Amino acid sequence: MDSMLCVSGSRLIQSGLTNTNHFKERPVIFVNAGGGPIKKEGNINLDIDKDCCFEGGDVIRTDESIINGGDIPSVYQSARFGTNLNYKFNGMPVGEYLVDLHFAEIVYTNGPKGMRVFDVFIQEEKVISELDVYSIVGANKPLQVVDVRVSVGEDGVIFMRFDGVVGSPIVSGIYIKQATELPKSTVKKELLLCNNCSAEVKASSDQNRVTRTNSLAKYEKKIEELKAQCQLKTDECHEAWMSLTAANEELEKIRMELDNRFFSNMQLDQAIQKQKTELRDVSRRYECDKKLWVAAIGDLKKKMKMMKIEHSQLSDAAHGCVNNIPEFNKMITAVQVIVAQHEDLRLKLNEEQAKSKKLYNQAQEAKGNIRVFCRCRPLTKEEISNGCQTAVDFSAAKDGDLTVITSGSTKKIFKFDRVYSPKDDQVDVFADASALVTSVLDGYNVCMFAYGQTGTGKTFTMEGTEQNRGVNYRTLHQLFKIAEERKETVTYDISVSVLEVYNEQIRDLLATSTTTTKRLDIKQVSDGVQHVPGIVEAKVENIKQVWDVLQAGSNARAVGSNNVNERSSRSHCMLRTMVRAKNLVNDECTMSKLWLVDLAGSERLAKTEVQGERLKEAQNINRSLSALGDVISCLANKSSHIPYRNSKLTHLLQDSLGGDSKTLMLVQISPSDHDIGETLSSLNFATRVRGVELGPAKKQIDMGELQKFKTMLDKAKQELRSKDDAMRKLEEGFQNVDGKAKVKDQLFKNQQERVHELESQLASKTDLCRQLEKQLLQLSEGKKEKEEICSNFQQKVNELEKKLKEQEEAASMNLHFKVLTICTYYRKF
Ligand code: ADP
Ligand code: MG
């Protein structure tokens, strides 16, 4: 260790600073490197300066205790360390000084040795060479290098440099004190040159030169011997080292080979394990599949058996059917004969229907295409209380005669098709009107209207009340009734429209928006057929819907005016029913119209009584009623020109007045003697319409002619009845035959369907049988294949296991051999 010290007189102390050995001499300067100042403490009568005069390096501190730290261990708990570290103390008086340097390893307390090696230069002279504090004292232990002699010249500077050889230098404290001057003789030195290393060896002048030379030679010789020995040992070492290296390499190789073997064994093991699990999986799946196949095959076999049974049953049934075919053929011919008969009957029925229709129409026509009924209402309570008298006589009402007692005893007789007294009710009135309903359904246009003075019962007759319904409702009810009866042979499509004609303007009472101001007009769509474009046609399928439509119309009429009765008496309310018929037997289609009209009051107002709007209304009513009278009269007289277009009313009714169409006028009169004027006016109008003028007291008709007419009518009626009976019988016969034919037809169809069904079933079962056989074949082939795959797998596994065993044996043999070789080798070595 002392070889580190380059200055004679200096030495190492492996402990901390103590009072006893050093503090006798007062320091010139004592620096606590890397730390602060330390005041006198304990038995040390010394102040230590804080770190100063340094250049470079960093500060480090430790809280760990310093072992053998002496009297001031805190000096060693701080240090300055780092590269380019130096201390420069200026202003030192010229002279000799002794420097003590204090070290401790407080940074790398775990070593290793040699991690921090450094040189110390003072005044550029190396004073400590390759100092390794850790390798001398270890960590956290003080090391002192004391009494390093230093001379300070004129510049008054002591310069210390710490140079790292390995790592960076470290220093904990620097203590500088003045030294006593050495005698010149002791200071003087001589240099000797070493023959071996050419180093200059210092020798004191008082040593004997001769002795020195001798001892030097002796040392040199010794060195030579030592060198030779050293060389020998080096060679031996080298040889041993080489063989050791070779053995190590061999060992390494073997280890590697062993590792490789081990690894490949492991891989083989894994592969075998994998193969084993795969094999197990395959066999398990195979077992499962096998079970499934067995079950499926069993199932299929059962199904096959069942199907074979079914197949034979079906074949039997099919054979039975085939045997029945001649029977069927016979039935077919029989049915064909029946169908032909049926066709014949149908033609006859058509003819009969046409004839019946014609006859009915003839009967109606015989009654007159224009018929006039007269109805008189009872006296009202008011009239009775006012002392009004009945001015109408109904004693001959049954014969259609009506006598009006005019002034005094003057009587005027009127003749109508029917006369209803105040006792006759709604049912009686309708009983006669209902005949026309059949005509409507037969395809004829019909028009019924009520005419008369306001308050005589026009609305009562046409509309009636909810409890006592009038012609409108009853007619439509009858329409639906007959339509229902005829539904087997004819289908009817019925729609209803409700119009109002006021001041020569048409208003649609079924239009949804009450504010509709659209002007409705009459258009001729084809020869003699009138239509009002844009009019609402409410489709009705039953009488309930009809009632709703009638109500809607009635309500709409009320909405249009402030005073319903007033308005209704000054406008014509027209209910139009369109009937579209389709004969299912001969596909004949017809379209007919039924008009049910409640006319405006016919009373004539004195010209002085009315003005303005009321006058206009009255004029319009008069014009339209006159036009109606004219048209009907012209029709009755078979006039060449019929003035339909003189009013909206007649124009609307054009196709329902005249020609084949039937017209029924219901003239309403009051029984009161107060209304006699209007009553006579109405009756005259009605008579004109009827086309037969009656004399004032006597019947104007030729009774012989009438009798002839009556006989004709009775004959026609009888004929009609007998035709009706024949028709009914024919129809019944036809229905019987038709029913039988239908039954046979159905039977035949059923049998044919059954044969087809059986045939198709047979075909599908045969197909299924074939498919099942095919599936069975495929399944048994699949089973064989799977079995082959399994046996292949088993073989492979056996082979692999065998290989593995062989490899394991070879590997263990090889290993055993290697181990033996290595052991012998080592034993040798
Ligand atoms: P119009 O429509 O001709 O102006 P209405 O039908 O309004 O007359 O009849 C006026 C009044 O006379 C109503 O109260 C009605 O009930 C009554 N009336 C009319 N005809 C008959 C009758 N045959 N039997 C009983 N009351 C009747
Ligand atoms: Mg009325």
Side-chain angles (χ1 to χ4, degrees):
M1 279 189 298
D2 283 342
S3 62
M4 290 173 190
L5 305 174
C6 305
V7 178
S8 62
S10 60
R11 61 207 160 84
L12 286 166
I13 300 168
Q14 297 183 31
S15 64
L17 187 67
T18 50
N19 193 16
T20 42
N21 49 3
H22 267 88
F23 297 137
K24 290 161 199 160
E25 295 162 67
R26 305 301 307 161
V28 176
I29 191 160
F30 192 172
V31 175
N32 180 16
I38 299 168
K39 291 283 165 210
K40 293 168 186 158
E41 55 179 67
N43 52 354
I44 298 168
N45 190 19
L46 180 67
D47 285 333
I48 302 172
D49 295 328
K50 68 170 184 187
D51 194 11
C52 65
C53 307
F54 55 83
E55 222 174 77
D58 292 311
V59 170
I60 179 80
R61 276 201 61 79
T62 182
D63 289 329
E64 283 182 46
S65 57
I66 304 298
I67 305 148
N68 288 335
D71 292 329
I72 319 169
S74 55
V75 170
Y76 303 98
Q77 281 177 323
S78 65
R80 178 164 289 276
F81 78 112
T83 48
N84 299 329
L85 171 64
N86 55 58
Y87 277 84
K88 189 176 181 182
F89 302 98
N90 293 315
M92 305 289 286
V94 179
E96 291 292 313
Y97 292 86
L98 289 174
V99 176
D100 294 354
L101 296 171
H102 299 268
F103 304 97
E105 182 52 62
I106 58 171
V107 185
Y108 303 121
T109 50
N110 290 322
K113 287 176 180 178
M115 85 222 138
R116 191 197 301 282
V117 180
F118 58 94
D119 297 332
V120 183
F121 295 85
I122 300 178
Q123 310 293 49
E124 292 305 335
E125 186 187 351
K126 192 191 264 184
V127 292
I128 305 167
S129 172
E130 296 186 356
L131 177 66
D132 183 355
V133 179
Y134 185 82
S135 64
I136 298 167
V137 284
N140 296 330
K141 283 183 183 166
L143 178 71
Q144 301 179 51
V145 175
V146 297
D147 292 342
V148 180
R149 183 171 283 271
V150 174
S151 306
V152 175
E154 291 298 323
D155 55 358
V157 171
I158 296 177
F159 183 73
M160 291 177 200
R161 184 155 60 83
F162 298 83
D163 257 5
V165 179
V166 177
S168 50
I170 188 165
V171 60
S172 298
I174 301 166
Y175 181 106
I176 303 172
K177 58 195 174 196
Q178 262 180 334
T180 45
E181 290 283 327
L182 288 172
K184 287 272 188 244
S185 56
T186 13
V187 177
K188 195 185 166 190
K189 292 172 189 161
E190 279 181 39
L191 292 172
L192 291 174
L193 203 68
C194 175
N195 288 345
N196 278 308
C197 57
S198 308
E200 287 179 338
V201 180
K202 282 179 185 172
S204 59
S205 59
D206 55 343
Q207 277 172 315
N208 191 314
R209 204 164 180 79
V210 181
T211 327
R212 254 189 311 170
T213 317
N214 285 346
S215 56
L216 204 64
K218 228 159 83 186
Y219 282 135
E220 277 169 359
K221 203 177 163 188
K222 193 80 187 161
I223 285 166
E224 281 301 320
E225 279 172 18
L226 282 169
K227 258 187 188 172
Q229 274 177 13
C230 185
Q231 191 57 46
L232 218 68
K233 291 282 173 196
T234 308
D235 289 349
E236 270 176 24
C237 272
H238 182 71
E239 225 171 275
W241 174 253
M242 289 308 281
S243 65
L244 191 68
T245 311
N248 271 342
E249 275 170 8
E250 189 70 12
L251 203 65
E252 196 58 32
K253 264 188 207 163
I254 288 162
R255 197 183 290 145
M256 266 165 70
E257 208 172 319
L258 255 171
D259 282 350
N260 284 343
R261 293 279 166 170
F262 181 73
F263 186 67
S264 64
N265 274 357
M266 218 165 68
Q267 274 180 335
L268 268 170
D269 262 352
Q270 279 172 355
I272 285 166
Q273 282 305 325
K274 213 172 143 189
Q275 295 264 11
K276 266 184 186 169
T277 40
E278 269 176 19
L279 188 67
R280 236 174 278 136
D281 272 4
V282 168
S283 359
R284 207 177 45 234
R285 258 185 277 144
Y286 167 71
E287 284 305 319
C288 283
D289 284 358
K290 205 168 148 184
K291 268 180 208 160
L292 283 176
W293 292 331
V294 169
I297 287 166
D299 235 38
L300 283 172
K301 273 180 185 164
K302 263 187 215 162
K303 273 187 192 167
M304 283 266 286
K305 241 184 219 171
M306 297 280 290
M307 279 164 93
K308 270 180 187 166
I309 294 165
E310 269 180 41
H311 181 266
S312 69
Q313 280 172 355
L314 282 170
S315 316
D316 288 348
H319 282 305
C321 282
V322 169
N323 293 338
N324 279 338
I325 284 175
E327 276 289 310
F328 286 142
N329 286 340
K330 270 185 210 165
M331 271 168 72
I332 290 167
T333 22
V335 167
Q336 275 166 352
V337 169
I338 291 166
V339 168
Q341 279 175 4
H342 169 267
E343 195 55 38
D344 211 36
L345 280 170
R346 209 168 69 146
L347 285 172
K348 275 187 188 158
L349 178 71
N350 272 348
E351 276 169 26
E352 287 307 319
Q353 271 183 339
K355 270 188 201 167
S356 150
K357 233 188 230 179
K358 212 174 155 192
L359 274 170
Y360 188 82
N361 196 40
Q362 275 172 6
Q364 291 299 318
E365 274 171 3
K367 283 180 190 170
N369 268 354
I370 301 170
R371 262 175 278 172
V372 180
F373 294 176
C374 178
R375 188 182 194 188
C376 183
R377 67 158 167 79
L379 274 174
T380 60
K381 280 179 191 165
E382 236 178 32
E383 283 169 334
I384 293 165
S385 64
N386 286 343
C388 291
Q389 296 292 317
T390 304
V392 190
D393 177 23
F394 298 99
S395 51
K398 276 196 178 162
D399 295 327
D401 289 349
L402 182 87
T403 311
V404 180
I405 301 137
T406 52
S407 53
S409 57
T410 323
K411 288 181 179 176
K412 197 168 180 190
I413 302 170
F414 293 91
K415 177 81 184 166
F416 296 111
D417 294 296
R418 191 65 83 201
V419 171
Y420 302 104
S421 72
K423 286 174 196 160
D424 292 321
D425 61 10
Q426 304 282 61
V427 179
D428 298 321
V429 175
F430 182 68
D432 296 309
S434 67
L436 294 178
V437 177
T438 315
S439 289
V440 177
L441 291 172
D442 282 347
Y444 296 98
N445 288 347
V446 172
C447 172
M448 295 187 212
F449 56 85
Y451 177 94
Q453 182 193 355
T454 301
T456 51
K458 294 185 297 296
T459 309
F460 182 77
T461 299
M462 297 310 284
E463 285 182 16
T465 57
E466 191 152 10
Q467 294 75 33
N468 204 4
R469 286 178 182 170
V471 171
N472 289 0
Y473 180 83
R474 287 173 197 270
T475 305
L476 285 157
H477 187 263
Q478 180 79 356
L479 210 66
F480 278 105
K481 205 176 137 205
I482 301 174
E484 178 65 24
E485 280 166 13
R486 291 186 180 181
K487 73 173 179 198
E488 292 286 317
T489 49
V490 191
T491 57
Y492 291 102
D493 188 6
I494 299 169
S495 61
V496 176
S497 309
V498 188
L499 305 175
E500 183 192 51
V501 177
Y502 175 71
N503 271 346
E504 285 302 288
Q505 275 177 17
I506 304 166
R507 198 173 139 228
D508 185 353
L509 294 181
L510 294 185
T512 42
S513 167
T514 50
T515 54
T516 308
T517 51
K518 204 171 91 181
R519 245 187 117 89
L520 292 170
D521 234 328
I522 308 154
K523 292 263 152 64
Q524 183 156 337
V525 282
S526 64
D527 193 28
V529 178
Q530 262 54 45
H531 184 61
V532 183
I535 195 176
V536 175
E537 286 187 22
K539 202 169 173 321
V540 285
E541 277 162 3
N542 51 52
I543 193 64
K544 161 87 177 56
Q545 289 176 354
V546 170
W547 182 248
D548 292 343
V549 171
L550 294 182
Q551 288 299 110
S554 196
N555 294 340
R557 205 176 181 199
V559 169
S561 67
N562 296 325
N563 184 333
V564 182
N565 284 328
E566 227 182 280
R567 169 73 180 258
S568 78
S569 68
R570 295 199 304 277
S571 67
H572 310 300
C573 179
M574 307 174 75
L575 171 65
R576 190 189 74 177
T577 307
M578 297 285 287
V579 179
R580 290 172 181 88
K582 189 183 176 188
N583 191 317
L584 298 174
V585 183
N586 58 12
D587 283 343
E588 191 185 82
C589 290
T590 58
M591 191 177 83
S592 47
K593 271 183 209 170
L594 166 66
W595 283 102
L596 296 162
V597 186
D598 178 5
L599 289 169
S602 63
E603 63 276 9
R604 277 152 207 274
L605 301 169
K607 275 186 185 166
T608 46
E609 275 178 41
V610 289
Q611 280 170 352
E613 194 61 22
R614 198 85 167 84
L615 179 67
K616 194 182 158 196
E617 269 177 16
Q619 282 169 346
N620 277 323
I621 295 164
N622 285 342
R623 196 178 301 137
S624 59
L625 291 177
S626 304
L628 181 66
D630 294 344
V631 165
I632 299 175
S633 165
C634 286
L635 283 168
N637 297 332
K638 304 220 170 10
S639 208
S640 57
H641 174 69
I642 318 288
Y644 289 113
R645 298 203 174 208
N646 280 359
S647 75
K648 283 274 182 306
L649 176 70
T650 47
H651 198 186
L652 273 170
L653 298 174
Q654 182 171 350
D655 50 13
S656 305
L657 294 170
D660 273 345
S661 51
K662 323 275 174 244
T663 306
L664 174 63
M665 176 177 176
L666 283 153
V667 59
Q668 299 282 150
I669 56 167
S670 152
S672 170
D673 53 356
H674 277 84
D675 293 325
I676 199 91
E678 283 302 329
T679 304
L680 284 171
S681 162
S682 295
L683 291 172
N684 283 330
F685 180 85
T687 306
R688 190 162 77 94
V689 164
R690 196 159 177 260
V692 186
E693 289 283 347
L694 294 174
K698 236 168 75 198
K699 287 181 192 168
Q700 291 292 308
I701 44 174
D702 183 345
M703 290 312 280
E705 189 69 16
L706 189 69
Q707 197 55 45
K708 219 168 101 189
F709 206 65
K710 267 190 178 171
T711 337
M712 251 175 71
L713 186 70
D714 286 343
K715 212 175 142 195
K717 269 186 185 169
Q718 217 170 346
E719 216 175 303
L720 184 71
R721 236 173 276 134
S722 62
K723 288 271 176 189
D724 263 353
D725 285 347
M727 260 265 296
R728 216 171 296 126
K729 271 178 198 163
L730 263 171
E731 259 180 41
E732 272 170 20
F734 168 70
Q735 267 166 7
N736 270 344
V737 172
D738 199 30
K740 274 181 196 165
K742 270 182 193 158
V743 169
K744 290 266 178 187
D745 232 1
Q746 194 55 44
L747 203 70
F748 176 64
K749 262 184 211 158
N750 287 349
Q751 291 282 13
Q752 261 187 336
E753 271 171 24
R754 181 73 188 142
V755 169
H756 283 310
E757 212 178 286
L758 284 172
E759 274 174 358
S760 61
Q761 271 184 16
L762 197 66
S764 64
K765 294 276 175 180
T766 319
D767 275 357
L768 204 68
C769 266
R770 243 176 254 142
Q771 277 174 10
L772 282 171
E773 273 168 8
K774 236 188 238 177
Q775 274 182 14
L776 203 65
L777 243 157
Q778 279 173 356
L779 279 172
S780 39
E781 273 170 20
K783 192 182 152 195
K784 253 182 224 164
E785 270 174 29
K786 294 270 176 182
E787 275 173 351
E788 267 173 33
I789 293 168
C790 267
S791 64
N792 281 348
F793 266 124
Q794 195 66 50
Q795 229 171 322
K796 269 188 192 168
V797 170
N798 287 343
E799 277 171 22
L800 278 169
E801 275 179 348
K802 211 169 137 190
K803 261 189 202 169
L804 190 73
K805 240 181 231 168
E806 280 170 11
Q807 276 178 356
E808 270 176 355
E809 274 169 18
S812 64
M813 283 284 287
N814 221 341
L815 217 82
H816 188 68
F817 179 72
K818 292 272 175 186
V819 171
L820 270 177
T821 330
I822 291 163
C823 287
T824 0
Y825 176 82
Y826 271 101
R827 236 177 267 136
K828 251 197 247 165
F829 183 73

